[in-house]
Amino acid sequence: MARKLVHLAYPPRCLSCGVETGTDHMLCQTCWSETHFFAGSVCNGCGVPLQGQAEAGDLCESCHTHPVLWSQGRSVGLYEGPLRRMVLALKHGDRQDIARHMARWMGSAGGGMITAETVLVPVPLHWSRMIRRRYNQSVLLAQALARTTGGVVVPDGLQRKRATKSQKDMRRDERFENQRSAIRPHPRRSALLRDRKVVLVDDVMTTGATLSACTEACFAAGAKTVSVLVFARVARLA
């Protein structure tokens, strides 16, 4: 009865567009049909689907041309339409509640990537951006992932030493230069990463420049392995 009363007052709504749905915490039929989820044989570096028969460890053309530093990468789907709206709602719309639903899908995309011994490390924000935004969306995703898949979250395992420029209109090489030496392991958290399997958590992967800088920082802290788990993958840039 209480559940029915709650639904009458607050009917279930699509996680992406907000229209009423018949089920809690889901996409509406339209958004579901418009969402490009990644499934089947996927690139071991970034999680995009591969055509034809693929084997474990195979890479897409982008990751083959520009090898990634991490051992394994997975993503839920393409950063467009419904998934893009969810990311923007979390990052800029103060929809912190949506993180747990995004993390549920990320856990499925990651398969057995996360175990009880895995250290989940969010991609860090610079302190100046944290003041403006009030929270780090990657921390929220990592915490939600830990609740559903296990693992230990080290929310400040990495530090952003300097505020980098917005990468929105940058080319691939400019993005990597922008992130050079910008991220380091937290001097008081390195011991928590040493000799551990680390999974970096973020909302979106574009060229992988930020995640590459984070991977280098994790290895500098002594991480045994580093993998990457993100919510959405941007169409690859040249």
Side-chain angles (χ1 to χ4, degrees), residues 15-233:
L15 292 172
S16 179
C17 71
V19 303
E20 290 189 19
T21 61
T23 308
D24 285 318
H25 317 315
M26 295 292 290
L27 295 176
C28 67
Q29 192 171 27
T30 299
C31 286
W32 186 269
S33 65
E34 293 176 352
T35 301
H36 187 161
F37 289 106
F38 296 158
S41 298
V42 297
C43 170
N44 192 57
C46 67
V48 300
L50 297 175
Q51 296 182 350
Q53 292 293 325
E55 298 180 0
D58 281 357
L59 300 173
C60 65
E61 183 178 352
S62 177
C63 289
H64 182 76
T65 304
H66 307 287
V68 298
L69 300 180
W70 52 87
S71 60
Q72 187 179 42
R74 293 292 185 271
S75 46
V76 173
L78 196 62
Y79 182 66
E80 64 177 16
L83 297 191
R84 181 176 183 273
R85 287 195 293 269
M86 292 176 69
V87 168
L88 295 179
L90 172 63
K91 186 181 292 188
H92 302 298
D94 203 22
R95 284 290 309 278
Q96 298 183 47
D97 59 292
I98 209 171
R100 61 191 179 102
H101 308 301
M102 295 168 67
R104 185 178 71 244
W105 293 350
M106 291 170 69
S108 296
M113 183 183 290
I114 301 172
T115 67
E117 290 74 34
T118 303
V119 175
L120 301 175
V121 178
V123 170
L125 290 179
H126 189 259
W127 65 265
S128 60
R129 188 165 295 180
M130 275 289 291
I131 290 175
R132 294 195 301 270
R133 193 174 295 172
R134 298 182 296 106
Y135 59 90
N136 181 349
Q137 74 279 357
S138 298
V139 171
L140 298 181
L141 291 171
Q143 291 171 336
L145 269 169
R147 287 192 292 269
T148 58
T149 64
V152 179
V153 182
V154 183
D156 55 351
L158 300 177
Q159 290 180 322
R160 190 173 285 274
K161 296 193 298 180
R162 59 180 174 83
T164 51
K165 299 177 182 178
S166 171
Q167 301 190 145
K168 181 179 179 182
D169 298 317
M170 288 186 182
R171 300 191 307 271
R172 185 181 190 281
D173 58 338
E174 293 173 330
R175 288 170 177 256
F176 275 81
E177 183 60 32
N178 189 44
Q179 296 294 331
R180 189 179 302 278
S181 303
I183 297 172
R184 67 179 179 184
H186 193 298
R188 294 193 295 273
R189 302 290 183 268
S190 293
L192 300 176
L193 276 60
R194 190 174 301 124
D195 297 324
R196 302 293 294 275
K197 294 182 179 180
V198 172
V199 171
L200 290 168
V201 179
D202 204 5
D203 53 350
V204 179
M205 181 196 304
T206 305
T207 60
T210 301
L211 290 163
S212 291
C214 290
T215 300
E216 290 179 337
C218 288
F219 282 132
K224 183 178 181 180
T225 63
V226 180
S227 299
V228 166
L229 183 56
V230 301
F231 181 69
R233 176 75 160 101

